[in-house]
Structure formats: C-alpha cells, structure tokens
Amino acid sequence: LLANLKADSTTKPLLQRCHDLVKIIDEYPAKELHVIFPWLVESVFGSLDGIIAGWNLRLLHSRSTEYNVVMEFLNPRYGPMMKLVYKLQAEEYKYEIPVNYLPGPLKACIQEGVLPDCPLFHNKLQFPLSGLLTLNIALNPFEFFMFNFAFCLITPKNFPPGQHGGSTDSAYFVLVDIYLKYFLPSEGSVPPSPFSDSRGSVTAPSPRSSSVSFTGYGVHSPSLLKHHIFHQPSVNADPAAQEIWRTETLLQMFVEVWLHHYSLEMYQKLQSPQVKLALLQYRLSMSSMPYQPYAPPGSGTLHTYQVLLPFHSPLVVVQRFVQQKLYLFLQHCFGHWPLDASFRAVLETWLSYIQPWRYTGEKTNVQESFVQENLLMYTKLFQVFLNRAVRTDLVNAKNALMVFRVAKVFAQPNLAEMILKGEQLFLEPEHVLHHRQPRGYLTPGQGGSYLSSRQRVVTDMVFRVKSHVYALEGQDCQYKQMFGTDLRGAVSLSLIQIIAQARQTAKRISDHSSEVAANNSFLSWFGLGSSDLNSTFPGAEPEESGECLKKTHEFLDRALENLCQIFKLNQGQLTQLISNLGSSQDDGNCKQLPDCIQSDSGLILTDLGRRQIINGLRRFDVPYQGDPELQPIRSYENALLVRLFYRISCLVNHRLGGHMEAVCSRPDFLGRLGRYYLTDPDWTFRLRQSPTSRQTVERSRQPRLSLRPLASYRTLLLLLLLYMLGALLSFGPASSTALILAGGFLYGLLVALFGDKLKTH
C-alpha cells in the first residue's frame, strides 16, 4: 500500500490522490494504515528538515481549484485525515520525532538530562543504543499530527520567486483558525469527536504518571488542567478528560513549537524552585475554595470543578497555556525587532492579547481579574515599547500609527485604574497579608462574616498578582511601576517631547514639499524645473508627503491626548511644553548639528544625537568628501570643458603647488588674497560640520587652482552677457577680457581687506 501511494504521488494530480486516500482510510484496517501514516503526514505538511515541501499549504489560496478539496480533507470535524488520526488513536500507536527538531532550549534541556516543564513530553523519550544525542520522543497519532502541523509554519522552505508564504488567507492559516475554533470554541464546550472506534468512543491517552524512567530527571507537575481533573473522584470514568485532552494537546503543541525560542538560561530560570514557590503557595491557599457542579455535555453526570479554574472559560485556558511563553516571546521581539513598520505584526499580537474582552464580551469584574493575572503583559511590555518609541522615526505615518494604537488601547475606560490597582496589590507587604488572612475560610452561612470573606478575596487577589509576576520574572525581580514617578517622567519628558518634535518635523517637511512643488510647477513652463534628486527635505522619505503627513499629524495629536488621559497629565503643562519646544526649535535651530563629541577621528554621535537624527530633528550636512575636482559631472556643466580645465589645473598645481602653499601660509595681506583665490573656506567649514576624518579636512585646506567653475553653463552665460555688454560699449574681446579680470581681482582685494570685518559684524 505504501509503495503504491508513493508511486501515485509522482504521477497523479492532488485531487485524484485525495479521492483515493478517502477510500483507503474508509476501507483499510488500522494495522495497515499505521504504516502509511508517517509518510502521509510528511507528504501533506512537508518533512521536518524542509527538503520535502508537501502540499505547500501556505501557498494554497481559495482561488486554486485544489483549495476546497484540501480543506475538506483536513477538516477537524469530518475530514478523512482526522478520521484516520482517531482510528489510529484508538489502537494506541506511537510515532517518533527526533529530539533535534524540538525548539532549541527544549532540546538542550532534554539532552542535558533535565525534565522539560511542559507535560506534553513527559514519559515519551525513547533511548536508542547509539547515544543520548540521537534520542527521539514517541507521540500518539493526534500529537504527531499536531506537531507536524505546527512545525510546518517554522520549517525553512524555498518558496518560488515572488511568493513568501505569509498571506493570511492561505489554506494553512485558515486551517489554524478552524482548528482553534473547533477544539477551543468561544462557548467553551469542546464537541466530542464524530468518529468512533469499535468500542464506541475515541480514547484519550493514558494519564501521565508522576515518575520518570531514568535518573537525573526531577519530580514534575502534571498539566494544569489534568491536575484539577485527575485529583477529583472517579478519574478514570470522568468524561471531561475524554473531551479536553485534544484541546490541551493542541494548545500545548502550538505554544511549544511557535513560542518556545528563548535562551536555555531563561528556560531553566523559569523551572527553578524559587520561581515556582509563589505559585505553589497560591495553589495551596486555593485548596479550601468551594467547588461547583458541572455536567459535561452529553454525560448526564455532575462532576465538581474549582470555581477559580473553570475549563469552560477560554480566557483561563489561554492564560494558563500561552501566557508565560507569549510574554517571553513578545519581550524578545520588542527588544530585537528592527525599528521599522514591520513591527506592526508583533504589536497587534500584543494588543489583541491584552484586551480579550473585545472578542469575548466579558464583564468588568472578569476584565479586572484578567488584568491582575497578566499584569506584566501590560506594565513591563509597555515600558519596553516606550523604549522603542523614543528611538523610532515618528515622522513616518506607519510608526506614528503604532504609537497611537498603543495609547488608544491603554486609554480604554477603567483600564489604567485596573493596572494601577494590580500594581498596588503586588506591592502589598508580606506581613500585611499574613495579618489579613484568617485561619479558616467560613462562609457567612457557616458562622463566618462578610468582612472575613472580603479579606479573603483581597488576599486571594494579592497572591494571584504576586504569583503571576514571580512566575514570569523570578522572585528576585525588581519591579518598575508603570504609574511610578520614573515612568511618568519618562513619558512626559521623553516620549511627549519626541512626539511634539516629530509633529514639527512633519510640518517642515510638508511645507518644504509644498514650496518645491510650487516652484517646480512654475519653472516647468520654462523647462527649468529641478532635476536634482537630492532636492527633497533631508530626512524625508517618498511616502512621507501629502496625505501621509496629514495622517502623521492626526495620529500624533490623538496619541498625545490619550497619553495625557492615561497618566493624568495636566493639559496646560502639556501645551506649555509643546510651545516651548516650538519656540526653541525654529528653522535656524534645525540647522544645528546633532549632539556629538569631538575626537581625534572626528565627530562621534551621542545617544541623544542618534535620536535627533532618527526623528529628523537635526542632521549632518554631509558633503562630497573626496577631491572636489573629481566630483561627477553635473547636468549644468559642460563635460568637455570640465575635463580640459581639470588637466590645466593639475598641470599648474603640480608645477606651482609649493609656491601657492607658501603664499597662502603668509599672515599678511598677500596671504589673505592668496587664500581667497586658492582655497575654499566654506568647503572646509562644511567638512568640519560633518562626521569626516581629520585627514579629509586637512587635505581640503591645501591651496590649489580650480578652473572648474568656468565650465558651468551659468558662468558661461554670464561671461557671454558681459562680452555682449562690452560689444555694445564698443569694447573689443581683449579689452572686455581685461576688464573682467580686473573686476574679479578688485573684488578679491575688497574681500581680503574687509572680509573679516564684515563676518565679525
């Protein structure tokens, strides 16, 4: 069977192969299907090393004729592929995955003999005779299928030119959405499998035992969900366990494969006993909380579940499985992602996680509980984003939009108050908690009081916040408050200043672009429009014009309003701050150099200078740093004359260079006259105001004869007009030439005599 399928894969089209596979899955027994299953999974999702592309689900779109057939084949509700998975699951077959294909820190952890924290890989290690480095993990059919499905996204593949496989409407991403909605629906009730084995049900994998099969592995904790199910009465007969194992496997597989890419040191830190101490204390303190009855759909039997950890709440499930690794993943992206508009994808992932009520419609009390249990997702990541924002070019409309989006989300009603309350709970001293906590928990009907119930709720909230922070940052973390004085000052003095400066820069670019457009429109009638590509405003990009700059103004203005609302900033002080910036950064000040220090090798930028350049506030005037005589020939110059005058200048400079240097080095009037004709002080000044080396500046100060200005069409036109004027006044060519040379010499005398006094004045 396997040989025939491999032969058909090279000759038959995909539609025919899917049709044949449907028949094979229906007709053949599990014993024969077990042999073809690994090959079939590899042919669909591709090999783990990326050599086999599979069906290229990331390139398959709804416009393709094969799209609908593939989607039906892989459908989790009634698809033949999932039917095959459940058929093999009933027989408890196992399939091996090399440990080398696990995420880096997880692989290193296993190879060093340390038990992974994720229970998904417990008791599944297979030890070959060749050594520890080639060990495998044995997965059941559902786990094997989901691992390959998740790994398909991160496997390096060679896509055809022009196709990068990142379109969200491709078959792969549509399947991810379908699988999540099916196995983790928003209603919370996981539907049972429509496929059944001969015994009438699809069996869940065996519960994971708390022992490990080899030395060096420590005691581990079972999964959070099964921890609360397998410790209830009648574990083996519990129908809820039959329902949720697929959801748990799906979530853990996605999280482990997609988000588990931080360092091994961080992974080991998260598994240390010190980090888990607060979580353990919290769980023990919750052990006396009441249970409520819950009947799984179709079971007809009531079972007890803790109120604080209901599986039927998607927020709780996603938080328990996704929070830790998503937090580390986002923190890594915030710190390492390039400072450009592509960061929008990471940003929207973060913003979607921290406001789940947009998608679930949860009430205010549930929102507050979610904020407290995800406090670092708000406070720490906001501070990291603030560090990015002050180093980003906010004149760009796309970057300005990201700042506006963050400010808008955090300015939602009551969200800032919820975050502030969460911070206050975390900063609650430990001795106050022990004083508050009663010795026993009694409901008012059992002789307790509503006051003691209130104290218990506050204590529970404090433990919840502290356990969250310690689990993600460690018990020795130095927490920095989002609404503390330090961050408030950073927002008001740093971010708001940069936003205000970016608004002004956008206005200057807009005004400059309008002037250039108006001038080009007028001069175009005479064919004199500017053809210089460098005539745009420094720091501007092609997309930063017109409507984009208007959007920048709008985004930054609204971001300022939202930031004032979040941090309760005084509107009058904000207006005064912006007006002070506007008065201090006029057009003359914009020509100042960025903040830098002078060194032997030239100017060196400081951190402040880098931010000034990024936001277009100041800039270096970087001129041509080579030999001025060897600059590319301009459109306003005559190429033949440029080359001719260059040869004449080189000949004169070679023969008389020593004499010219001697004359220019004199301190008297003759030296000043020589320096006027044989050096370019403006060129030397521009080089000093740019990040050039000292050797370049010294070379530019050497006296030389330059005849290149005579090759300019403007100079030639001026000379032609002077000769025509001389002809009208009855002067011959020789007389006109003598008068022109005399006028130039007299102008040089006047500059040499009175130039310094005029500059001082």
Side-chain angles (χ1 to χ4, degrees):
L1 178 62
L2 180 60
N4 292 336
L5 288 175
K6 288 183 177 180
D8 292 343
S9 65
T10 59
T11 57
K12 292 184 178 181
L14 181 59
L15 297 178
Q16 182 62 39
R17 280 182 280 152
C18 288
H19 181 71
D20 296 341
L21 286 171
V22 172
K23 292 183 178 180
I24 292 173
I25 293 172
D26 287 336
E27 298 174 358
Y28 279 75
K31 183 177 181 180
E32 297 190 36
L33 295 176
H34 161 65
V35 180
I36 70 168
F37 183 65
W39 171 85
L40 179 57
V41 171
E42 185 178 83
S43 65
V44 173
F45 301 122
S47 58
L48 298 178
D49 55 13
I51 297 177
I52 300 176
W55 290 0
N56 278 326
L57 297 179
R58 292 170 61 185
L59 300 180
L60 190 62
H61 298 274
S62 57
R63 300 178 296 272
S64 173
T65 57
E66 303 168 339
Y67 178 84
N68 292 331
V69 176
V70 171
M71 297 300 291
E72 291 181 3
F73 186 81
L74 298 175
N75 189 283
R77 185 183 299 273
Y78 53 80
M81 190 68 177
M82 197 58 64
K83 183 177 181 179
L84 171 61
V85 170
Y86 293 141
K87 200 171 184 179
L88 298 173
Q89 186 77 28
E91 302 297 333
E92 298 186 356
Y93 287 112
K94 299 294 181 181
Y95 302 92
E96 293 186 351
I97 294 287
V99 169
N100 291 333
Y101 290 110
L102 296 179
L106 189 62
K107 175 181 65 177
C109 183
I110 294 176
Q111 290 176 346
E112 290 185 4
V114 181
L115 180 67
D117 187 52
C118 177
L120 185 65
F121 304 108
H122 291 180
N123 299 333
K124 297 183 179 179
L125 292 174
Q126 303 293 318
F127 296 91
L129 299 176
S130 56
L132 191 64
L133 294 179
T134 57
L135 56 82
N136 302 322
I137 56 173
L139 304 178
N140 64 48
F142 188 82
E143 293 169 340
F144 182 79
F145 175 82
M146 286 303 170
F147 179 87
N148 282 270
F149 177 67
F151 203 84
C152 176
L153 178 64
I154 64 174
T155 304
K157 290 185 173 65
N158 295 323
F159 292 111
Q163 298 183 3
H164 53 80
S167 177
T168 55
D169 63 344
S170 66
Y172 183 83
F173 294 109
V174 174
L175 281 172
V176 171
D177 183 62
I178 293 175
Y179 282 21
L180 287 173
K181 288 179 179 178
Y182 179 77
F183 292 109
L184 187 63
S186 57
E187 305 84 34
S189 175
V190 180
S193 168
F195 310 113
S196 301
D197 62 359
S198 57
R199 291 164 292 187
S201 64
V202 177
T203 58
S206 303
R208 303 179 182 101
S209 63
S210 59
S211 61
V212 189
S213 58
F214 65 101
T215 332
Y217 277 43
V219 179
H220 69 281
S221 302
S223 67
L224 290 175
L225 293 178
K226 294 191 176 181
H227 173 78
H228 291 274
I229 289 176
F230 291 144
H231 286 75
Q232 307 302 328
S234 304
V235 173
N236 296 331
D238 192 351
Q242 298 288 338
E243 292 188 19
I244 70 168
W245 68 268
R246 292 172 296 158
T247 302
E248 182 182 358
T249 300
L250 174 78
L251 287 174
Q252 288 184 337
M253 200 65 76
F254 283 178
V255 168
E256 291 298 320
V257 175
W258 290 344
L259 302 181
H260 199 159
H261 296 279
Y262 39 85
S263 64
L264 177 61
E265 292 75 16
M266 177 61 70
Y267 183 71
Q268 293 174 342
K269 175 185 175 183
L270 293 174
Q271 298 191 87
S272 63
Q274 292 79 9
V275 173
K276 296 184 178 179
L277 178 60
L279 273 175
L280 179 60
Q281 293 173 346
Y282 171 61
R283 289 177 182 173
L284 292 176
S285 66
M286 296 299 103
S287 60
S288 60
M289 292 300 291
Y291 290 81
Q292 69 176 14
Y294 168 68
S299 65
T301 307
L302 289 178
H303 299 268
T304 54
Y305 294 87
Q306 278 188 312
V307 180
L308 295 179
L309 221 73
F311 176 71
H312 53 276
S313 174
L315 288 183
V316 174
V317 174
V318 173
Q319 175 186 334
R320 294 293 185 266
F321 283 93
V322 179
Q323 182 196 69
Q324 185 184 68
K325 291 183 174 62
L326 180 62
Y327 171 74
L328 296 172
F329 178 78
L330 291 176
Q331 193 175 25
H332 178 82
C333 291
F334 276 45
H336 295 79
W337 203 277
L339 296 173
D340 56 23
S342 66
F343 183 71
R344 179 75 184 277
V346 179
L347 185 80
E348 292 300 333
T349 303
W350 172 46
L351 297 181
S352 298
Y353 181 87
I354 64 176
Q355 45 178 348
W357 44 83
R358 289 185 55 193
Y359 315 101
T360 61
E362 300 287 355
K363 297 181 180 179
T364 305
N365 56 343
V366 180
Q367 295 180 15
E368 184 173 355
S369 176
F370 181 84
V371 171
Q372 293 172 4
E373 294 181 355
N374 293 270
L375 185 63
L376 290 177
M377 299 291 288
Y378 294 89
T379 59
K380 181 67 176 293
L381 293 184
F382 179 85
Q383 297 173 37
V384 181
F385 175 78
L386 177 64
N387 187 38
R388 285 185 60 92
V390 298
R391 296 180 289 121
T392 304
D393 177 17
L394 298 183
V395 179
N396 187 301
K398 295 178 180 178
N399 294 333
L401 173 61
M402 290 191 284
V403 175
F404 161 67
R405 287 279 295 122
V406 173
K408 180 182 178 182
V409 168
F410 278 83
Q412 293 181 73
N414 302 322
L415 180 57
E417 288 75 11
M418 294 178 190
I419 298 174
L420 179 59
K421 182 178 179 180
E423 291 190 320
Q424 292 172 348
L425 291 172
F426 174 74
L427 297 175
E428 191 81 22
E430 294 291 340
H431 67 275
V432 177
L433 295 179
H434 296 297
H435 176 72
R436 280 184 179 178
Q437 188 170 4
R439 295 184 178 180
Y441 175 72
L442 296 176
T443 63
Q446 297 172 325
S449 66
Y450 288 98
L451 180 60
S452 63
S453 175
R454 172 66 178 173
Q455 291 175 345
R456 176 70 181 192
V457 171
V458 174
T459 304
D460 293 341
M461 290 191 298
V462 172
F463 272 117
R464 185 185 302 123
V465 176
K466 287 181 177 290
S467 62
H468 155 70
V469 175
Y470 293 151
L472 296 186
E473 289 290 333
Q475 203 165 8
D476 57 346
C477 68
Q478 299 294 326
Y479 184 78
K480 185 177 180 181
Q481 298 182 59
M482 177 175 172
F483 291 99
T485 55
D486 293 341
L487 188 62
R488 184 186 179 93
V491 171
S492 59
L493 298 179
S494 180
L495 181 59
I496 291 180
Q497 287 185 14
I498 289 178
I499 290 177
Q501 292 167 350
R503 290 168 67 250
Q504 295 174 3
T505 303
K507 185 178 184 302
R508 291 199 306 272
I509 295 176
S510 178
D511 295 342
H512 180 80
S513 301
S514 301
E515 293 175 2
V516 171
N519 293 336
N520 286 342
S521 177
F522 174 76
L523 295 175
S524 63
W525 290 92
F526 307 97
L528 299 176
S530 174
S531 60
D532 190 359
L533 297 177
N534 298 321
S535 63
T536 58
F537 191 85
E541 295 186 8
E543 62 182 21
E544 294 174 354
S545 59
E547 293 297 325
C548 290
L549 290 174
K550 292 181 181 178
K551 292 181 180 179
T552 299
H553 268 283
E554 179 184 355
F555 293 147
L556 295 180
D557 287 341
R558 295 170 67 181
L560 284 175
E561 295 176 3
N562 292 329
L563 288 173
C564 290
Q565 178 182 343
I566 296 169
F567 292 94
K568 303 296 188 294
L569 299 179
N570 187 292
Q571 191 66 32
Q573 295 178 351
L574 177 65
T575 304
Q576 183 64 31
L577 177 63
I578 295 177
S579 62
N580 292 341
L581 289 172
S583 61
S584 64
Q585 295 198 4
D586 52 10
D587 290 341
N589 193 29
C590 291
K591 296 179 181 178
Q592 295 181 359
L593 291 179
D595 190 67
C596 53
I597 57 176
Q598 184 71 46
S599 68
D600 295 338
S601 58
L603 300 177
I604 299 178
L605 278 173
T606 62
D607 292 338
L608 175 61
R610 292 188 182 93
R611 288 198 292 267
Q612 290 171 340
I613 292 179
I614 288 174
N615 290 281
L617 306 177
R618 296 184 183 181
R619 67 182 181 91
F620 284 114
D621 184 13
V622 183
Y624 178 78
Q625 298 182 10
D627 188 347
E629 298 298 312
L630 297 178
Q631 295 184 65
I633 298 175
R634 304 294 197 272
S635 59
Y636 53 82
E637 293 178 322
N638 184 283
L640 181 62
L641 292 179
V642 168
R643 297 186 179 96
L644 176 62
F645 289 149
Y646 174 71
R647 293 180 180 179
I648 296 175
S649 300
C650 289
L651 181 62
V652 174
N653 293 330
H654 178 69
R655 293 188 177 183
L656 304 177
H659 297 285
M660 290 188 290
E661 189 170 355
V663 170
C664 293
S665 61
R666 297 177 57 166
D668 54 7
F669 170 75
L670 186 59
R672 292 199 299 272
L673 185 63
R675 286 191 293 273
Y676 172 74
Y677 284 112
L678 301 176
T679 61
D680 186 359
D682 292 336
W683 178 270
T684 304
F685 176 77
R686 288 197 300 272
L687 286 179
R688 287 179 176 177
Q689 300 298 306
S690 64
T692 56
S693 62
R694 186 178 299 273
Q695 291 81 3
T696 303
V697 177
E698 295 298 332
R699 187 173 62 250
S700 67
R701 299 177 62 180
Q702 296 178 358
R704 68 175 74 188
L705 176 66
S706 176
L707 301 177
R708 183 162 178 168
L710 298 177
S712 170
Y713 289 119
R714 178 182 176 181
T715 305
L716 295 176
L717 179 60
L718 179 61
L719 291 175
L720 178 62
L721 293 176
L722 291 176
Y723 277 110
M724 291 176 62
L725 179 62
L728 292 176
L729 298 176
S730 302
F731 288 104
S735 302
S736 298
T737 303
L739 288 174
I740 292 173
L741 292 177
F745 181 72
L746 290 175
Y747 179 78
L749 288 176
L750 293 175
V751 172
L753 289 173
F754 306 107
D756 294 338
K757 296 181 179 180
L758 292 174
K759 289 182 180 179
T760 303
H761 178 70

